[in-house]
Amino acid sequence: MSRISWDQYFMAQSHLLALRSTCTRLMVGATIVRDKRIIAGGYNGSISGGDHCTDDNCYVENNHCIRTIHAEINALLQCAKFGVPTAGAEIYVTHFPCLNCAKAIIQSGIKAVFYAKDYKNHPYAIELFKSAGVHVENVELEEMILDMKTTEKLAFTAELLTKLEEAGISEEELKSLKDQANKLFLPG
């Protein structure tokens, strides 16, 4: 098996961080990297010690949860708290940064933003990144490369579907099962 790229590695870290999120609307993770070394990570959630959306629902005003601190801000604050400079670093985020996060990223001196999924990409954020000379690149996480048994799972699922077909399962039911399997194994 060949090694995954640095971009895939750091994006996987961001997706792992997102699993710590306490936001029930969107789980986001961010990893700040300098010289191929992780210097900070963050996920979206409430302030330390505060009520979490997972415990007390989202606190929504104007269609936005005001309880949540965004993943990018949490990662930047971690750097500030521990005196780790961000100038010249890169950030890997599971979703395209919101406008406020984009401004904070630019102000922190980060030179590149890598994101896995488009999410309400604000035109002004895109313009700000461009005018600030911040490189922005979509790097989707190939989740299946993280699963060391993907090939075996695909083969097993195909074998089960074949046996069900040979056993006389209806075409409609077989199609439904194949569609479900495709949703599990195909990206997006």
Side-chain angles (χ1 to χ4, degrees):
M1 181 177 166
S2 62
R3 292 172 27 163
I4 63 173
S5 71
W6 284 112
D7 286 341
Q8 287 290 301
Y9 173 75
F10 295 128
M11 194 58 72
Q13 296 294 322
S14 294
H15 279 273
L16 187 60
L17 280 162
L19 295 175
R20 292 277 308 148
S21 171
T22 60
C23 178
T24 57
R25 294 163 43 112
L26 183 68
M27 297 171 77
V28 180
T31 304
I32 301 177
V33 174
R34 186 183 321 99
D35 299 324
K36 304 285 185 250
R37 299 287 180 257
I38 296 171
I39 60 172
Y43 52 87
N44 58 333
S46 304
I47 61 168
S48 298
D51 292 333
H52 294 280
C53 298
T54 52
D55 301 325
D56 197 25
N57 297 317
C58 289
Y59 186 178
V60 178
E61 285 187 6
N62 298 322
N63 201 31
H64 189 78
C65 181
I66 62 171
R67 175 179 286 141
T68 300
I69 301 168
H70 290 191
E72 302 93 322
I73 300 300
N74 267 329
L76 290 169
L77 290 172
Q78 188 179 70
C79 288
K81 185 175 184 178
F82 296 106
V84 179
T86 54
E90 302 166 336
I91 190 166
Y92 289 78
V93 191
T94 56
H95 297 77
F96 189 86
C98 74
L99 182 56
N100 283 326
C101 287
K103 292 187 280 187
I105 288 166
I106 292 165
Q107 286 298 98
S108 73
I110 287 177
K111 66 178 181 180
V113 175
F114 299 93
Y115 70 97
K117 295 178 184 168
D118 289 312
Y119 183 74
K120 300 180 182 179
N121 301 26
H122 198 287
Y124 189 52
I126 295 167
E127 180 184 326
L128 286 174
F129 281 139
K130 186 176 182 179
S131 65
V134 174
H135 174 79
V136 177
E137 185 177 335
N138 178 244
V139 177
E140 291 185 33
L141 175 66
E142 298 167 25
E143 287 106 349
M144 290 177 64
I145 64 172
L146 301 177
D147 186 347
M148 304 304 268
K149 297 207 180 269
T150 297
T151 304
E152 294 90 340
K153 289 176 183 178
L154 283 167
F156 179 72
T157 302
E159 182 182 347
L160 284 177
L161 290 170
T162 300
K163 287 185 181 205
L164 286 169
E165 184 176 20
E166 290 169 354
I169 190 172
S170 73
E171 279 188 43
E172 184 179 307
E173 208 171 355
L174 184 63
K175 183 186 179 329
S176 174
L177 291 171
K178 285 181 178 180
D179 288 345
Q180 288 178 47
N182 284 334
K183 285 180 186 173
L184 287 173
F185 288 108
L186 296 178

PDB file of all heavy atoms in Angstrom, residues 7 17 36 42 45 47-48 61 65 75 89 94 99 120 125 128 144 166 168 187:
ATOM      1  N   ASP A   7      -1.515  16.272   2.019  1.00  0.00           N
ATOM      2  CA  ASP A   7      -2.834  16.911   2.052  1.00  0.00           C
ATOM      3  C   ASP A   7      -3.895  15.962   2.590  1.00  0.00           C
ATOM      4  O   ASP A   7      -4.740  16.352   3.407  1.00  0.00           O
ATOM      5  CB  ASP A   7      -3.230  17.399   0.655  1.00  0.00           C
ATOM      6  CG  ASP A   7      -2.469  18.630   0.217  1.00  0.00           C
ATOM      7  OD1 ASP A   7      -1.898  19.330   1.080  1.00  0.00           O
ATOM      8  OD2 ASP A   7      -2.446  18.905  -1.002  1.00  0.00           O
ATOM      9  N   LEU A  17     -10.791  15.457  14.016  1.00  0.00           N
ATOM     10  CA  LEU A  17     -11.127  16.511  14.979  1.00  0.00           C
ATOM     11  C   LEU A  17     -12.619  16.832  14.946  1.00  0.00           C
ATOM     12  O   LEU A  17     -13.233  17.076  15.987  1.00  0.00           O
ATOM     13  CB  LEU A  17     -10.320  17.781  14.684  1.00  0.00           C
ATOM     14  CG  LEU A  17      -8.887  17.780  15.180  1.00  0.00           C
ATOM     15  CD1 LEU A  17      -8.072  18.854  14.469  1.00  0.00           C
ATOM     16  CD2 LEU A  17      -8.852  17.992  16.684  1.00  0.00           C
ATOM     17  N   LYS A  36       5.006  20.913   7.507  1.00  0.00           N
ATOM     18  CA  LYS A  36       4.527  19.519   7.567  1.00  0.00           C
ATOM     19  C   LYS A  36       4.392  19.005   8.997  1.00  0.00           C
ATOM     20  O   LYS A  36       4.455  17.798   9.251  1.00  0.00           O
ATOM     21  CB  LYS A  36       5.442  18.575   6.765  1.00  0.00           C
ATOM     22  CG  LYS A  36       5.626  18.962   5.315  1.00  0.00           C
ATOM     23  CD  LYS A  36       4.403  18.631   4.505  1.00  0.00           C
ATOM     24  CE  LYS A  36       4.611  18.893   3.035  1.00  0.00           C
ATOM     25  NZ  LYS A  36       3.865  20.012   2.517  1.00  0.00           N
ATOM     26  N   GLY A  42      -8.599  22.274  15.998  1.00  0.00           N
ATOM     27  CA  GLY A  42      -9.815  22.752  16.637  1.00  0.00           C
ATOM     28  C   GLY A  42     -11.037  22.135  15.993  1.00  0.00           C
ATOM     29  O   GLY A  42     -10.984  21.609  14.886  1.00  0.00           O
ATOM     30  N   GLY A  45     -17.655  24.022  18.603  1.00  0.00           N
ATOM     31  CA  GLY A  45     -18.372  23.661  19.816  1.00  0.00           C
ATOM     32  C   GLY A  45     -18.467  24.858  20.745  1.00  0.00           C
ATOM     33  O   GLY A  45     -18.057  25.964  20.409  1.00  0.00           O
ATOM     34  N   ILE A  47     -17.966  27.110  24.383  1.00  0.00           N
ATOM     35  CA  ILE A  47     -16.799  27.480  25.186  1.00  0.00           C
ATOM     36  C   ILE A  47     -16.541  26.387  26.219  1.00  0.00           C
ATOM     37  O   ILE A  47     -17.467  25.677  26.629  1.00  0.00           O
ATOM     38  CB  ILE A  47     -16.976  28.850  25.876  1.00  0.00           C
ATOM     39  CG1 ILE A  47     -18.171  28.831  26.827  1.00  0.00           C
ATOM     40  CG2 ILE A  47     -17.099  29.975  24.865  1.00  0.00           C
ATOM     41  CD1 ILE A  47     -18.249  30.024  27.755  1.00  0.00           C
ATOM     42  N   SER A  48     -15.297  26.249  26.642  1.00  0.00           N
ATOM     43  CA  SER A  48     -14.943  25.244  27.650  1.00  0.00           C
ATOM     44  C   SER A  48     -15.802  25.430  28.894  1.00  0.00           C
ATOM     45  O   SER A  48     -15.911  26.545  29.409  1.00  0.00           O
ATOM     46  CB  SER A  48     -13.465  25.366  28.035  1.00  0.00           C
ATOM     47  OG  SER A  48     -12.655  25.120  26.927  1.00  0.00           O
ATOM     48  N   GLU A  61     -29.925  32.167  16.502  1.00  0.00           N
ATOM     49  CA  GLU A  61     -30.429  33.514  16.209  1.00  0.00           C
ATOM     50  C   GLU A  61     -30.051  33.823  14.777  1.00  0.00           C
ATOM     51  O   GLU A  61     -28.906  33.587  14.367  1.00  0.00           O
ATOM     52  CB  GLU A  61     -29.803  34.560  17.148  1.00  0.00           C
ATOM     53  CG  GLU A  61     -30.357  34.526  18.550  1.00  0.00           C
ATOM     54  CD  GLU A  61     -29.841  35.675  19.409  1.00  0.00           C
ATOM     55  OE1 GLU A  61     -29.131  36.570  18.886  1.00  0.00           O
ATOM     56  OE2 GLU A  61     -30.128  35.662  20.613  1.00  0.00           O
ATOM     57  N   CYS A  65     -26.124  29.427  14.961  1.00  0.00           N
ATOM     58  CA  CYS A  65     -25.957  29.073  16.368  1.00  0.00           C
ATOM     59  C   CYS A  65     -24.915  30.001  16.989  1.00  0.00           C
ATOM     60  O   CYS A  65     -23.743  29.971  16.611  1.00  0.00           O
ATOM     61  CB  CYS A  65     -25.521  27.616  16.523  1.00  0.00           C
ATOM     62  SG  CYS A  65     -25.328  27.136  18.265  1.00  0.00           S
ATOM     63  N   ALA A  75      -8.834  26.615  16.646  1.00  0.00           N
ATOM     64  CA  ALA A  75      -7.440  26.272  16.335  1.00  0.00           C
ATOM     65  C   ALA A  75      -6.539  27.497  16.469  1.00  0.00           C
ATOM     66  O   ALA A  75      -5.439  27.421  17.035  1.00  0.00           O
ATOM     67  CB  ALA A  75      -7.342  25.672  14.934  1.00  0.00           C
ATOM     68  N   ALA A  89       1.796  29.670   8.119  1.00  0.00           N
ATOM     69  CA  ALA A  89       1.263  28.316   8.279  1.00  0.00           C
ATOM     70  C   ALA A  89       0.159  28.048   7.251  1.00  0.00           C
ATOM     71  O   ALA A  89      -0.216  28.928   6.464  1.00  0.00           O
ATOM     72  CB  ALA A  89       0.724  28.131   9.697  1.00  0.00           C
ATOM     73  N   THR A  94     -12.439  21.003   7.257  1.00  0.00           N
ATOM     74  CA  THR A  94     -13.386  20.072   6.640  1.00  0.00           C
ATOM     75  C   THR A  94     -14.377  20.786   5.720  1.00  0.00           C
ATOM     76  O   THR A  94     -14.878  20.181   4.781  1.00  0.00           O
ATOM     77  CB  THR A  94     -14.174  19.281   7.697  1.00  0.00           C
ATOM     78  OG1 THR A  94     -14.832  20.194   8.576  1.00  0.00           O
ATOM     79  CG2 THR A  94     -13.246  18.360   8.484  1.00  0.00           C
ATOM     80  N   LEU A  99     -17.207  33.693   6.463  1.00  0.00           N
ATOM     81  CA  LEU A  99     -16.593  35.008   6.265  1.00  0.00           C
ATOM     82  C   LEU A  99     -15.762  35.445   7.472  1.00  0.00           C
ATOM     83  O   LEU A  99     -14.627  35.906   7.321  1.00  0.00           O
ATOM     84  CB  LEU A  99     -17.672  36.043   5.937  1.00  0.00           C
ATOM     85  CG  LEU A  99     -17.193  37.460   5.664  1.00  0.00           C
ATOM     86  CD1 LEU A  99     -16.169  37.499   4.537  1.00  0.00           C
ATOM     87  CD2 LEU A  99     -18.385  38.346   5.339  1.00  0.00           C
ATOM     88  N   LYS A 120     -21.514  27.026   1.792  1.00  0.00           N
ATOM     89  CA  LYS A 120     -21.930  28.436   1.775  1.00  0.00           C
ATOM     90  C   LYS A 120     -20.737  29.351   1.482  1.00  0.00           C
ATOM     91  O   LYS A 120     -20.531  30.365   2.157  1.00  0.00           O
ATOM     92  CB  LYS A 120     -22.589  28.821   3.095  1.00  0.00           C
ATOM     93  CG  LYS A 120     -23.826  28.018   3.429  1.00  0.00           C
ATOM     94  CD  LYS A 120     -24.426  28.456   4.751  1.00  0.00           C
ATOM     95  CE  LYS A 120     -25.637  27.615   5.105  1.00  0.00           C
ATOM     96  NZ  LYS A 120     -26.222  28.014   6.390  1.00  0.00           N
ATOM     97  N   ALA A 125     -15.542  36.293   1.103  1.00  0.00           N
ATOM     98  CA  ALA A 125     -14.446  35.520   1.690  1.00  0.00           C
ATOM     99  C   ALA A 125     -13.475  35.103   0.595  1.00  0.00           C
ATOM    100  O   ALA A 125     -12.253  35.217   0.757  1.00  0.00           O
ATOM    101  CB  ALA A 125     -14.981  34.295   2.429  1.00  0.00           C
ATOM    102  N   LEU A 128     -11.555  38.163  -0.396  1.00  0.00           N
ATOM    103  CA  LEU A 128     -10.560  38.527   0.616  1.00  0.00           C
ATOM    104  C   LEU A 128      -9.334  37.617   0.555  1.00  0.00           C
ATOM    105  O   LEU A 128      -8.194  38.098   0.627  1.00  0.00           O
ATOM    106  CB  LEU A 128     -11.180  38.478   2.017  1.00  0.00           C
ATOM    107  CG  LEU A 128     -12.131  39.609   2.373  1.00  0.00           C
ATOM    108  CD1 LEU A 128     -12.782  39.342   3.733  1.00  0.00           C
ATOM    109  CD2 LEU A 128     -11.416  40.950   2.380  1.00  0.00           C
ATOM    110  N   MET A 144     -12.152   6.396   1.895  1.00  0.00           N
ATOM    111  CA  MET A 144     -11.908   4.962   1.768  1.00  0.00           C
ATOM    112  C   MET A 144     -10.437   4.609   1.957  1.00  0.00           C
ATOM    113  O   MET A 144     -10.122   3.481   2.314  1.00  0.00           O
ATOM    114  CB  MET A 144     -12.434   4.448   0.430  1.00  0.00           C
ATOM    115  CG  MET A 144     -13.964   4.472   0.409  1.00  0.00           C
ATOM    116  SD  MET A 144     -14.695   3.963  -1.141  1.00  0.00           S
ATOM    117  CE  MET A 144     -14.179   2.282  -1.253  1.00  0.00           C
ATOM    118  N   GLU A 166     -29.160 -14.911  -6.543  1.00  0.00           N
ATOM    119  CA  GLU A 166     -29.277 -16.334  -6.870  1.00  0.00           C
ATOM    120  C   GLU A 166     -30.376 -17.007  -6.054  1.00  0.00           C
ATOM    121  O   GLU A 166     -30.982 -17.985  -6.508  1.00  0.00           O
ATOM    122  CB  GLU A 166     -27.943 -17.044  -6.637  1.00  0.00           C
ATOM    123  CG  GLU A 166     -26.870 -16.654  -7.631  1.00  0.00           C
ATOM    124  CD  GLU A 166     -25.483 -17.158  -7.237  1.00  0.00           C
ATOM    125  OE1 GLU A 166     -25.316 -17.728  -6.116  1.00  0.00           O
ATOM    126  OE2 GLU A 166     -24.537 -16.949  -8.039  1.00  0.00           O
ATOM    127  N   GLY A 168     -33.158 -15.767  -5.408  1.00  0.00           N
ATOM    128  CA  GLY A 168     -34.463 -15.395  -5.943  1.00  0.00           C
ATOM    129  C   GLY A 168     -35.092 -14.150  -5.344  1.00  0.00           C
ATOM    130  O   GLY A 168     -36.308 -13.959  -5.462  1.00  0.00           O
ATOM    131  N   PRO A 187     -18.339   7.838  -2.757  1.00  0.00           N
ATOM    132  CA  PRO A 187     -18.237   9.175  -2.150  1.00  0.00           C
ATOM    133  C   PRO A 187     -19.403  10.056  -2.545  1.00  0.00           C
ATOM    134  O   PRO A 187     -19.973   9.923  -3.623  1.00  0.00           O
ATOM    135  CB  PRO A 187     -16.918   9.727  -2.700  1.00  0.00           C
ATOM    136  CG  PRO A 187     -16.573   8.891  -3.874  1.00  0.00           C
ATOM    137  CD  PRO A 187     -17.282   7.586  -3.736  1.00  0.00           C
TER     138      PRO A 187
END
